[in-house]
Amino acid sequence: LTLCDDIQCLAAGHTLIWDQGRVNLQEYWRPSFGWHQEPVLQKDSPGFIREALQDSLNHHFVSDVPVGLFLSGGIDSTALLALAKASGMNQVRTYSVGVDDPSMDESSAAARTAAHFGAEHHTLHLNGERARDIFSQFLQHQDQPSIDGLNTYAVSCLAHECGLKVVLSGLGGDELFGGYPSFQAIPRIMQLGSAARCLGPLRHMIVNGLQLKQMPGRLQRLGSYLSSEQDVFQAYQAYRGVFTPAQADRLVKHLSPNAEGPFLISNIGAFANDALLDQISALEITRYMRNQLLRDSDVMSMAWGLELRVPFVDRDLFEKASRIEPRVRLRAGKQMILDAIPEIPEWVAHAPKRGFRFPFQKWLEESWSDTLKVSNGLLDQGRHSWYQKWAVFALQDWQRRLGVT
């Protein structure tokens, strides 16, 4: 779906051929987990994954111009740099963004990692004021509203200023190898739902209390899950959702009174019979990664004339990795990658998961206090997170720029 009437995105894994007024739409591939048919033994999996990652990296490094690497300081991009070094690629250029919040700043770890592997490293340092200037430029490139993409826009600006045309990203490693907290949180949410069913009338009191407008957003989404059918998709929505389904319904009906629901499409589709961890992996791949991360990364890198390549989002790699049982492939802390690439330094391997993100809440409370005011009239009373405010602001700003009402 898109926000424009009668316009749809080409579905993933499909081709569309137009020939003399005729349209032929065909599906050529869809992901599936192959460990039931062709399992790889646990003792063989590190070498198997290393070879598959190396093969993907080698193919993505093929270029007529120098290829750089976005280095976040995390496991995925470090794995790519380690494999590049192991295969004899010297003087790889790496790029990262530093921020003025030590709890989110990975630039020093990225610089240390780059030096460790002999890479030519570049860093863009951002504080609230400089980030706000970039933010206003970033909004001009949003062809669809999103709450993500500013990080890619900023680091792409840096790579562009350094003369790069092609860059690699570690995007996709979390989804394929269990790097997100969702792989632990969603099973706990489902266990909590099972336990709540035993509480009788007390359950309804708890659910109603959690959904009060004064409660934090994550607790409201948990309350919504406990009142739902409690399948894996509902648990995923409770963890990943920006709004509860009820909040989303109210927003849509306010923006488009004639809209018809339901607006939350709950469907695990072809993965309904897979193991729970595989289902979570599939949701992260087909929802968060495909619909947000890949789209935003593509748009914001192309805004600076960069070709962004993602070796972890590779058909051959996925088909090989999916032959490893989820209890092995999706171990916490991306242990599968650490086993396959022992060259990853300990300051990366044992660092807490932080992700490639910015201290938006801090900036919004300090130097960006007036930035998202346009959304105040649309959100109902209650507590709202920065990303809820940004979601509504991004939509309204997109409407304003396009003259859409």
Side-chain angles (χ1 to χ4, degrees):
L1 303 175
T2 74
L3 287 169
C4 302
D5 283 341
D6 302 321
I7 296 178
Q8 296 181 3
C9 295
L10 179 63
H14 283 68
T15 58
L16 187 150
I17 299 175
W18 182 89
D19 183 19
Q20 298 181 354
R22 297 179 180 178
V23 172
N24 181 21
L25 181 66
Q26 290 187 331
E27 183 180 46
Y28 66 87
W29 184 77
R30 68 170 57 186
S32 62
F33 297 102
W35 59 272
H36 299 285
Q37 292 78 34
E38 285 186 282
V40 174
L41 297 177
Q42 182 171 353
K43 66 181 181 64
D44 299 327
S45 58
F48 182 78
I49 286 297
R50 184 185 183 94
E51 183 179 342
L53 279 171
Q54 186 72 69
D55 179 64
S56 179
L57 183 74
N58 290 346
H59 280 85
H60 284 83
F61 254 109
V62 175
S63 174
D64 294 328
V65 296
V67 179
L69 171 65
F70 289 162
L71 188 63
S72 68
I75 290 173
D76 301 325
S77 56
T78 302
L80 297 180
L81 181 57
L83 288 175
K85 178 71 173 180
S87 60
M89 300 176 193
N90 297 315
Q91 293 300 311
V92 176
R93 302 181 192 180
T94 54
Y95 304 86
S96 66
V97 175
V99 295
D100 58 357
D101 185 335
S103 68
M104 296 187 185
D105 183 32
E106 292 189 320
S107 61
S108 59
R112 183 181 180 187
T113 299
H116 177 76
F117 289 108
E120 178 189 319
H121 190 61
H122 305 266
T123 305
L124 173 65
H125 294 282
L126 293 179
N127 57 23
E129 293 297 328
R130 191 172 183 188
R132 183 167 60 178
D133 292 338
I134 292 178
F135 183 63
S136 63
Q137 303 168 28
F138 155 81
L139 290 173
Q140 304 304 312
H141 295 282
Q142 281 207 326
D143 57 354
Q144 295 186 70
S146 174
I147 62 168
D148 198 34
L150 182 60
N151 45 10
T152 302
Y153 183 79
V155 74
S156 296
C157 172
L158 173 64
H160 169 80
E161 291 177 348
C162 293
L164 260 287
K165 296 294 184 184
V166 181
V167 288
L168 305 186
S169 166
L171 192 159
D174 287 313
E175 291 83 357
L176 189 55
F177 294 105
Y180 290 131
S182 57
F183 287 91
Q184 291 79 49
I186 289 174
R188 288 199 296 268
I189 291 171
M190 297 182 74
Q191 291 171 359
L192 187 60
S194 297
R197 292 194 191 100
C198 303
L199 297 178
L202 186 59
R203 173 191 172 191
H204 299 289
M205 295 176 59
I206 294 173
V207 168
N208 291 336
L210 289 173
Q211 295 186 86
L212 292 173
K213 294 179 180 180
Q214 292 75 24
M215 299 296 286
R218 184 157 290 186
L219 290 180
Q220 290 187 49
R221 296 196 301 274
L222 176 61
S224 178
Y225 168 74
L226 293 176
S227 65
S228 72
E229 296 176 1
Q230 298 188 17
D231 60 15
V232 64
F233 181 84
Q234 297 291 345
Y236 181 78
Q237 172 67 16
Y239 182 81
R240 277 288 188 199
V242 176
F243 298 99
T244 67
Q247 289 172 329
D249 282 358
R250 288 195 296 271
L251 276 170
V252 172
K253 289 174 180 176
H254 180 92
L255 291 163
S256 183
N258 296 324
E260 296 182 1
F263 306 115
L264 179 64
I265 302 171
S266 176
N267 182 18
I268 193 66
F271 305 99
N273 296 320
D274 283 304
L276 176 59
L277 287 178
D278 275 342
Q279 290 182 335
I280 297 170
S281 179
L283 285 167
E284 293 288 19
I285 288 169
T286 61
R287 297 275 173 166
Y288 182 49
M289 185 188 80
R290 186 176 71 195
N291 298 339
Q292 181 167 313
L293 297 183
L294 284 177
R295 189 193 71 188
D296 291 343
S297 294
D298 180 56
V299 170
M300 294 308 160
S301 58
M302 286 303 298
W304 292 104
L306 290 182
E307 178 186 332
L308 183 67
R309 300 179 178 180
V310 281
F312 280 101
V313 188
D314 180 270
R315 174 176 172 174
D316 288 342
L317 174 61
F318 177 87
E319 290 178 346
K320 292 171 183 175
S322 71
R323 291 172 54 191
I324 299 173
E325 289 186 63
R327 65 178 182 84
V328 177
R329 176 173 57 88
L330 298 170
R331 282 173 292 165
K334 283 183 282 198
Q335 191 61 46
M336 182 77 267
I337 296 180
L338 297 177
D339 290 347
I341 310 173
E343 300 99 312
I344 294 175
E346 54 85 18
W347 63 83
V348 174
H350 300 131
K353 171 70 176 173
R354 288 187 290 191
F356 194 15
R357 58 198 177 103
F358 289 163
F360 293 116
Q361 185 168 356
K362 173 186 174 182
W363 291 343
L364 287 169
E365 291 173 352
E366 296 176 1
S367 54
W368 293 26
S369 57
D370 59 342
T371 302
L372 304 188
K373 281 188 175 179
V374 67
S375 68
N376 288 349
L378 189 54
L379 292 171
D380 55 18
Q381 296 298 313
R383 297 178 60 174
H384 299 290
S385 64
W386 66 265
Y387 52 84
Q388 289 178 323
K389 294 176 183 178
W390 186 344
V392 175
F393 166 80
L395 175 60
Q396 292 184 310
D397 181 79
W398 179 84
Q399 290 177 301
R400 177 185 59 79
R401 285 187 288 109
L402 272 65
V404 177
T405 58

